[in-house]
Amino acid sequence: MTEPTRERRSGVDWVLTAVGMLIFAYMAYATLFGPYKTTIVHLALFACAMLCIAFLDRTRSDQQVMRSVQWGLDATFAAATIVTMGYVIVNFERLINLWGSSYLTGTDVAIGVAIIVISLEAARRHSTILFALGVFGVVYMLYGSYFPGVMQHAGMDLKRIIYLTAYTTEGFFGTGLSVAASYLFMFMMLGSALQATRTGDFIMKVANATTGRQVGGAAKSAMVASAGLGTMVGSSVGNVVTTGTFTIPLMIRTGFRPHVAAAVETNTSEGAQLVPPILGAAAFIMAQLTGIPYATIAVAAILPAVLYYLSLYCVVHFEARKAGLAGIPEDEIPSLRQSFADGWHLLVAPAVLFYLLIVESYTPSYASLIAIGIAMVCGLARSVSRMPFQAILDQFDSGARQAAAITALIVSIGLLQAAIVTTGLGPRIADIILSVSDGSLLMTAILAVVAATLLGMGMPTPIAYLLLAMFTAPALTAAGAPLLGAHLFLFYFAIKSGSTPPVALVAVVAAGIARANWWSTAVTAFVHSLPGFIVAFMFLFSPALLLQGDAMTVALSACSAAIGVFAMAAAVQGWCAGRINWIERALLAAAAISLINPGYLTDIAGVAVVALIYLRRARLDGIQSAPATGAKHQNT
């Protein structure tokens, strides 16, 4: 078959592709043999390559941009990045041994100012919110003495701010950039390797073969495909683009309305980041921030992931029942046996990755690098998964560009981190939240959800989670939430911020594929997510859902959570063994909420309400359909 004609590459395009491949080669070297010189040099090399790609990316194949004033600005910032990071690399021994800001030279100050400006400009191009937070961090450090009440601090002079933000691990070279280099980059490249070997196509075929025949089978196949691929891709938008291209048209073709199909794909793609063992790379970030072992986090996420997808399954099933939809046409369902025969070798790399992470406890970068190598060997070994070299190069180039965009967002977090740590703002924010909530865990959690929606607008999940961990995690734990439960709660709503209006970037992408109204898609995705909110709040009130406690307690909590999820899905969709009225929907919603609160009385009451409504509707449905039993069976 003839390869499609590729767009002609510009010189800048080739240069940036080469930069991406070089930094991948260096990161592989650093993973195997350790970073060059020291950590700050390692991070400077990584930031230099990533920011150059981010600043010049739009000029790749656009000759009109290259002739514009914008090209000059892009080139200037790219050159400034090379100069500043080069200065840090050359002078790293003196800079890391400075005793304080009074020892900075004039050149040090100028380079430090440039680093701050570069951070802000990189953030501005991708997120107004992060840019504003970065500016706030600098202004707050400089003029903190003028802020009112608990926000006030003594203030700092400019040289001290430059020293803290540009040359210490509390600023530019802090947690954000470290996370991008240590976790996110290599997982982005792993996602590219899986795409290059057609692993996504294989997972899609298996999903259609296993669930395609069920009621609403196209939507249920989307759930399986997104969960399988998305845990390794680590990007909700990337997951929508990868699987949604196939699943959304199929859902529409089998009867789902376009905005509903887009909403289903939005939620399934987001939820994939809850699926162990990778959790979209968040488990590694969480382990670094909390000190909880990675394996503990991965195991604790098992039940939440199952309950999340149970909630989506119920919502999709009820949606299909209401609309009278069937499954995928039989002639479009692939053979499960043939699908596995063609693609079983593509499972070797994910299996090795899981083994290295869970059993051998290797670092995420090392495990993912080994998985990349195995994925490429297995993919090239058989013709069914073999791709041309140019296509493989394009996939890895795309992974480097995605990593560059995330790094451009994340560097400004260093400015915010410096402001929070050096001024003592973190504990004061927790005090403010607790004073507003009056110490109530439920009210504190609601405020955290609001913060997640605001801070997460248009941002990748890892960045949204990092911000929430800085601002709201201390307040949740102070209000009585368990440490792991608080962080998984924040992570859940960091994920869902991608589909929550008014920005709803993930929903916008899905709506574009479906050619649907993005606002209707975002609202539908939010409503369909409501049953999953039950699960998230249970993280705070029922540690047993995180597999903490004896087996009986865990089993009872899992059962009550599953019933609560079912009840909320039925209330949202207006279906429980048949169409239900508004009174029954309200009762089911109340029952679902009662199941959040741990306690035998509330659980028994909630289960009783759900059972009574289900049995009543099942009986009424049976009575109404009795005269036409023969027709009904023939229809089925």
Side-chain angles (χ1 to χ4, degrees), residues 251 256-268 270 308 311-312 315-316 319-320 322 492 496 498-501 504 506-508 510-511 514 516-533 568-569 572-573 585:
M251 281 188 272
F256 285 91
R257 290 169 292 174
H259 72 279
V260 174
V264 169
E265 181 58 43
T266 296
N267 286 329
T268 59
E270 288 182 324
Y308 178 87
S311 75
L312 292 185
V315 167
V316 166
E319 179 75 29
K322 285 194 305 180
Y492 177 90
K496 296 310 298 178
S499 62
T500 305
V506 182
V508 168
N517 180 277
W518 76 268
W519 181 263
S520 298
T521 298
V523 171
T524 303
F526 173 78
V527 172
H528 284 186
S529 297
L530 289 176
F533 289 8
M568 185 59 80
V572 164
Q573 291 289 50
R585 294 174 76 167

Side-chain angles (χ1 to χ4, degrees), residues 121 418 601:
E121 174 61 15
L601 290 179

Side-chain angles (χ1 to χ4, degrees), residues 140 144-154 423 425 428 431-432:
Y140 183 66
S145 59
Y146 296 98
F147 278 67
V150 295
M151 295 289 290
Q152 191 176 74
H153 69 91
T423 64
L425 178 61
R428 290 201 294 274
D431 290 341
I432 293 170

Side-chain angles (χ1 to χ4, degrees), residues 284 294 355-367:
F284 313 117
Y294 160 75
Y355 174 79
L356 293 177
L357 287 173
I358 300 295
V359 179
E360 298 295 336
S361 299
Y362 281 106
T363 64
S365 292
Y366 181 85

Side-chain angles (χ1 to χ4, degrees), residues 286-524:
M286 202 177 296
Q288 179 174 327
L289 295 178
T290 62
I292 298 172
Y294 160 75
T296 302
I297 295 172
V299 170
I302 293 174
L303 263 181
V306 170
L307 290 169
Y308 178 87
Y309 277 97
L310 174 63
S311 75
L312 292 185
Y313 185 94
C314 292
V315 167
V316 166
H317 185 76
F318 297 155
E319 179 75 29
R321 283 292 188 195
K322 285 194 305 180
L325 304 181
I328 300 172
E330 189 65 33
D331 59 349
E332 295 184 32
I333 298 177
S335 163
L336 181 60
R337 178 176 295 182
Q338 186 61 48
S339 298
F340 265 101
D342 290 342
W344 65 267
H345 61 295
L346 300 177
L347 296 176
V348 175
V352 170
L353 175 70
F354 299 163
Y355 174 79
L356 293 177
L357 287 173
I358 300 295
V359 179
E360 298 295 336
S361 299
Y362 281 106
T363 64
S365 292
Y366 181 85
S368 56
L369 177 62
I370 298 300
I372 289 170
I374 292 174
M376 296 310 301
V377 170
C378 291
L380 294 172
R382 300 181 65 189
S383 59
V384 70
S385 56
R386 192 178 300 136
M387 292 183 74
F389 174 76
Q390 183 63 56
I392 294 173
L393 182 64
D394 287 344
Q395 290 290 350
F396 277 93
D397 181 42
S398 175
R401 291 165 64 181
Q402 292 176 31
I406 288 182
T407 304
L409 278 169
I410 215 167
V411 289
S412 64
I413 290 180
L415 304 178
L416 192 60
Q417 180 185 356
I420 290 173
V421 173
T422 61
T423 64
L425 178 61
R428 290 201 294 274
I429 290 176
D431 290 341
I432 293 170
I433 293 175
L434 291 171
S435 66
V436 173
S437 66
D438 197 27
S440 163
L441 178 55
L442 179 60
M443 284 304 302
T444 304
I446 292 171
L447 291 174
V449 172
V450 174
T453 303
L454 296 175
L455 293 175
M457 289 191 297
M459 291 189 204
T461 301
I463 299 176
Y465 165 68
L466 269 175
L467 289 172
L468 289 170
M470 289 182 188
F471 282 110
T472 59
L476 282 172
T477 53
L483 180 63
L484 181 54
H487 279 265
L488 282 173
F489 175 85
L490 294 175
F491 177 58
Y492 177 90
F493 285 102
I495 291 173
K496 296 310 298 178
S497 67
S499 62
T500 305
V503 177
L505 179 61
V506 182
V508 168
V509 174
I513 297 173
R515 297 181 180 178
N517 180 277
W518 76 268
W519 181 263
S520 298
T521 298
V523 171
T524 303

